[in-house]
Amino acid sequence: MLEIYNEQVIDLLSKASRSSGGLRVREDQQRGFYVECLRRVPCDNAVQVEQLMEQGTRTRTTVATHMNANSSRSHMLIIVQLKQIFSKECTTKQSNINLVDLAGSERQRSSGSEADRLKEGTAINLSLTTLGNVISALADMALGKKVVHIPYRDSILTSVSPRWRGFDKFQP
C-alpha cells in the first residue's frame, strides 16, 4: 500500500519511507516497474486485509482546503496479491488486484492553494495530466494509429501504476 505525494513514493504500512524521502521506483525487464523495499504483509483473510487498508488510509497525507475539510494530497495504490495453492496438483495460481485512489485535480483559486498546498496541487495536476496522456497514447495505439512515444516515465504515478506493458497489444 503506497501513496504518491509530491512525486515521492511512500509506503503507507511503514514509517521508515516517510522519513527517508520516499522509496525508489525501479524498472526490470521481467517485472516491469516496481517499488524497491515496499512492505508486503501476508494476510490469511479479508478482515486482515481490511484492517491493513484502514491503517494505511489513516497515514495518508490529507489537509483541509477551501474546497474540502479533509482533502487527500496524494494518489494511493493498494496491491492485493491473491495466491491459491492446489496441494494435490502441486500448483499455484496467483492474481494481483490493483486498487487506485487518485487525488482530485486542483484549481488554485477555488481551493485557496498557497505555499505547500500550491506545490501539492501542481504535482497532482501534472501527474493526472501525464496519466491522461498515457491513456490517450494507448487508446490511439489500440485504434491502429502510429504512436511514437507513450509517456509513462513522465510521472511516478504512471510508472508505478499497474503494468502498462502489454496494454499496447490490446485490441478492442
Side-chain angles (χ1 to χ4, degrees), residues 23-86:
L23 300 175
R24 294 181 67 166
V25 176
R26 301 283 197 183
E27 185 177 12
D28 178 77
Q29 198 67 23
Q30 301 299 317
R31 296 171 64 184
F33 286 101
Y34 67 97
V35 178
E36 192 174 61
C37 300
L38 183 64
R39 184 170 177 221
R40 291 177 176 230
V41 182
C43 296
D44 295 322
N45 55 52
V47 173
Q48 289 177 337
V49 173
E50 186 176 4
Q51 289 171 343
L52 285 169
M53 288 173 65
E54 288 172 3
Q55 174 191 336
T57 301
R58 280 192 305 272
T59 61
R60 189 173 180 193
T61 305
T62 59
V63 295
T65 65
H66 290 300
M67 301 285 292
N68 191 342
N70 194 19
S71 177
S72 64
R73 310 308 296 164
S74 64
H75 307 298
M76 181 172 61
L77 176 62
I78 302 169
I79 304 154
V80 179
Q81 189 175 69
L82 304 172
K83 191 179 280 189
Q84 187 176 16
I85 301 171
F86 300 94

Side-chain angles (χ1 to χ4, degrees), residues 9 38 50 52 58 104 112 129 154-156 171:
V9 178
L38 183 64
E50 186 176 4
L52 285 169
R58 280 192 305 272
T129 299
D154 292 356
S155 169
I156 296 293
Q171 296 296 318

